[in-house]
Amino acid sequence: MKYGRTFNFSAGPAMMPEPVLEEIRDEMMNYRGSGMCVMEMSHRSKVYQQIIDEAEQDLRDLMNIPSNYKVLFIQGGATLQFSMIPMNLMKNGKAVYIETGAWSNKAIKEAKKVGEVIVAASSKDKNYTYIPDCSDLDIPEDTDYVYICENETIHGTTWNKLPNTKGHVLVSDQSSMFLSKPCNVSDYGLIYAGVQKNVGPAGMVVVIIREDLIRDDLTDLPIYLQYKTHADNGSMYNTPNCWAIYCCGKVFKYLKSLGGLEAMHRMNLDKAKVFYDFLDSSKMFRGTVEKDVRSLMNIPFVTDSAELDAEVVAATKAAGYDNLKGHKSVGGLRASVYNAMPKEGVEALVKFLKDFEANHS
Ligand SMILES: *Cc1c(COP(=O)(O)O)cnc(C)c1O
């Protein structure tokens, strides 16, 4: 690694691609002859308008976003969407949620403050280690939407097959898998992703919403919480997170240059396989979730004892592999291997863990 950087396995904020960081560094003091840094720039300037327009267009190209979907850059992270979604989409005051872990749970809690929440399926009985069968859910006719967290960052499960919503709008939290593989946007009514997992700096969420879901009858809702406000003003009703938009735009371009989301998917499958093959052959370490729903991005794993887990975390950190401690609600270890984690990082960590195991027994 250059610059003395570490392989950072954090769940988020997480690694960004090195070529992108270098470009940002090169443009830091004077962005393309503007005489200023993007941080110092008016969001109403021509030069900034071009930055946000290009970011949106590059994202549209990457994901093949149909023209009847709006792309919004909103502040408040992914968490604010736990509230904005029910506030904007609950017309009948009723939604179906699938409970698959910590993040869908948080969304459920917030939605309950707004309307009726039907938890139609849950994997809580086995500590969120699988994705429940959602091929034939009991969905009331007047349900406004069906909600999933498509990759549970903490528990390490992912949806390989979307739920059968029986014609209802699908809403998905893609925060920790955004742009990790191709996505058929028209399967969804709304997709959102906090960008600090797989794209850029924290403090912003990308919302991709089908236009007909943007309502103009919500005048009692605080103006900032209405999707309409952001859609009508090109994500610039107020000062947006200019810096995050700029950095994300660079990452979008970089992913395009690598061959887009098919290429990312191939690389991510390849990278995750290195780690999962190791876990499957190890006698000391094992993965914690069912094989068919293992996340390509977040890999939780354990030894047989919490003491040994802690020992491994300390040893990896000392060796330059950072942030491998599992989330406090789950324990053990977790390696997050987002788009920007190089394969060499995964291979090096696996080698380290193999050696640790060999020296231990
Ligand atoms: C991190 C995360 C969030 C919360 O993101 P913030 O930007 O911190 O609000 C929500 N959902 C998922 C799946 C996440 O991984």
Side-chain angles (χ1 to χ4, degrees), residues 30 36 80 86 113 190 255 260 287 294 299 332 350-351 353:
N30 183 350
M36 55 187 87
L80 186 59
K113 296 177 183 172
L190 187 153
L255 298 185
R294 285 167 159 180
I299 306 178
V350 162
K351 181 174 184 310
L353 293 174

Side-chain angles (χ1 to χ4, degrees), residues 184-200:
N184 186 25
V185 174
S186 32
D187 288 342
Y188 305 80
L190 187 153
I191 294 167
Y192 73 99
V195 297
Q196 77 276 24
K197 308 293 163 67
N198 214 3
V199 193

Side-chain angles (χ1 to χ4, degrees), residues 76-79 82 103 149 151 153 173 175-176 196-197:
T79 298
F82 299 161
W103 290 112
C149 174
N151 188 83
T153 322
D173 177 356
S175 296
S176 49
Q196 77 276 24
K197 308 293 163 67

Side-chain angles (χ1 to χ4, degrees), residues 9-20:
F9 290 89
S10 169
M15 287 180 86
M16 287 179 58
E18 225 159 67
V20 166

